[in-house]
Amino acid sequence: MTLISHGIFVWASGLFFIFLFVQVEKEPIKKRALFESIVFLILLVFSIIRFGFFLSGKILPYFVSAFWGNLSLYILCILAWLVLRSIEIGKFRNSLKNVYAPILKIHVAIFYFQFIVYLFFAHYIDFLEPFTGQQSRYNANFAVIQGIHVVRCTGLFVEPSTYSGVVLFLVSLLLICNGFKKNRRLLVFAIISIFLSFSTAAVIIASLFVVYILISERYSLKAYIYIIISTLLLAFFAGGKIIDFYNAQDSRYNQASGLRYRFIEVVLNRNNDEALFAKGAFALENKLALSTTGDNGNKSIASLNDSGLLFFLWAKFGFLGIFYFVILCLWQLKSSRKNLVFFLFVSSTKVTIFCPLFVLYFSFTAFKDINLLDVYSRLRQTQESSKEKNKLEVL
């Protein structure tokens, strides 16, 4: 479920094995999960009707040809939600929680293996290309720092930013489940690997993430003194390399930021109709689609995935998308403030709402104290109680 770079066919296979687990362990589909999935399915049907009857002739042919592939992806997301929510509500919730650490270990181990092999033998092992035919972007748009050519390891993904986003998701899940102390070494190595990916956005997000962890976790005074001394020693012995690294990242950040700012500008300058609802789940307006850094754009603005979840939803659904994002945040806040903070961090990565990992993350962290079926049941009970009270008053 974390191999989001490998297309819907690969993670559909993963969904099959989850279904198989449900059948073997005889874990029933929960009513709450079924109700939520039906709500998502109804929203999908409305999107299909709008696409078929109201957007015809107003979008690029590319989106018409991609309709069935996108529809398959959305149906897979709903099925993944149905199964994962049933597991997390049921008796195997702890079993699913125990999977996060081993998955993170695999991804981090592969990353460090790539990093060490390149460091000592100047050879990068691409684990992605033999299976997908797509070469990892480990050597794209980077610099030489003090005579050392720095490679951007990608793990099992196409881009280092995608690796960093997946690792941040898994780190956040572990912190929510067990806190920092239980998997301390794994979490430290995982966070360091995000910095070593040399992804500009990932380095910024990880830096803020570390600051939040240091503030929110209750460490002893001795631990804070150790962190301060280690930081000063690192600055003393490697200060020059750190400055060069910062300069390299700064130039790349300015370039990437320009693309993101132009993306926001295009979204802000929509006409009134497109600003409210945009083109929905299955398309983008022509100007936006022809300008992105995606496969069909001229790369004058950032792609949807590069700008975080808020701007992704805004671009896809207009101001309605902003409303969706606020609802997602409120659901996380209903669980806990910590969940909301972690959600804001992971929503800043390239992992979008239609990726299986996001479905896994949100189905686990949201709706802790409230769910759609409970709201519906309480409303029915309130109505029935009111009717009975009125009958008694009449009598």
Side-chain angles (χ1 to χ4, degrees), residues 19 38 72 82 87 94 107 109 180 221 240 266 271 307 336 339 347:
F19 267 114
I38 290 174
S72 301
L82 174 65
I87 294 174
N94 289 331
H107 284 293
F180 185 79
L221 179 61
V266 171
N271 60 46
S307 303
S336 71
N339 281 23
S347 66

Side-chain angles (χ1 to χ4, degrees), residues 199-322:
S199 167
T200 307
V203 168
I204 295 172
I205 295 170
S207 299
L208 297 174
F209 189 81
V210 169
V211 171
Y212 171 75
I213 296 299
L214 292 175
I215 294 174
S216 62
E217 295 287 335
R218 296 180 178 178
Y219 297 108
S220 64
L221 179 61
K222 182 180 178 180
Y224 284 110
I225 293 175
Y226 175 78
I227 292 172
I228 292 172
I229 293 175
S230 300
T231 303
L232 292 174
L233 290 174
L234 180 65
F236 179 78
F237 289 104
K241 290 184 174 62
I242 293 174
I243 292 173
D244 287 344
F245 170 73
Y246 170 79
N247 291 332
Q249 292 294 101
D250 185 56
S251 61
R252 295 184 65 247
Y253 173 77
N254 291 333
Q255 180 182 4
S257 298
L259 294 174
R260 291 185 176 94
Y261 291 146
R262 286 193 289 274
F263 170 82
I264 297 172
E265 185 179 0
V266 171
V267 174
L268 281 172
N269 290 329
R270 287 166 161 169
N271 60 46
N272 293 333
D273 294 336
E274 292 178 341
L276 188 59
F277 298 112
K279 297 300 184 185
F282 293 97
L284 289 172
E285 58 264 36
N286 295 348
K287 183 178 180 180
L288 192 61
L290 292 172
S291 302
T292 66
T293 55
D295 294 334
N296 297 280
N298 59 20
K299 297 178 171 49
S300 61
I301 64 173
S303 67
L304 269 68
N305 297 351
D306 289 339
S307 303
L309 181 60
L310 172 60
F311 293 108
F312 176 86
L313 292 174
W314 189 7
K316 294 288 286 186
F317 302 101
F319 287 114
L320 183 63
I322 298 177

Side-chain angles (χ1 to χ4, degrees), residues 6-20:
H6 300 251
I8 63 174
F9 297 105
V10 174
W11 77 266
S13 303
L15 181 60
F16 167 77
F17 286 110
I18 296 176
F19 267 114
L20 187 63

Side-chain angles (χ1 to χ4, degrees), residues 80-81 84-85 88 93 358-367:
W81 180 273
L84 290 171
R85 283 291 285 164
E88 287 159 358
R93 176 181 173 87
F358 183 90
V359 177
L360 171 67
Y361 181 89
F362 202 85
S363 63
F364 179 81
T365 58
F367 309 108

Side-chain angles (χ1 to χ4, degrees), residues 165-198:
V166 169
V167 169
L168 191 64
F169 265 81
L170 294 171
V171 167
S172 299
L173 282 171
L174 280 177
L175 287 171
I176 291 171
C177 294
N178 305 316
F180 185 79
K181 294 182 179 180
K182 186 173 181 180
N183 299 283
R184 183 182 304 172
R185 292 184 180 179
L186 174 60
L187 293 172
V188 169
F189 277 104
I191 293 173
I192 292 175
S193 73
I194 296 177
F195 286 98
L196 293 177
S197 70
F198 301 117

Side-chain angles (χ1 to χ4, degrees), residues 376-392:
Y376 177 74
S377 300
R378 289 182 196 137
L379 183 61
R380 287 289 301 274
Q381 290 174 2
T382 303
Q383 291 174 344
E384 291 173 1
S385 299
S386 300
K387 289 179 182 178
E388 292 178 1
K389 186 177 180 180
N390 292 334
K391 288 179 181 179
L392 292 173

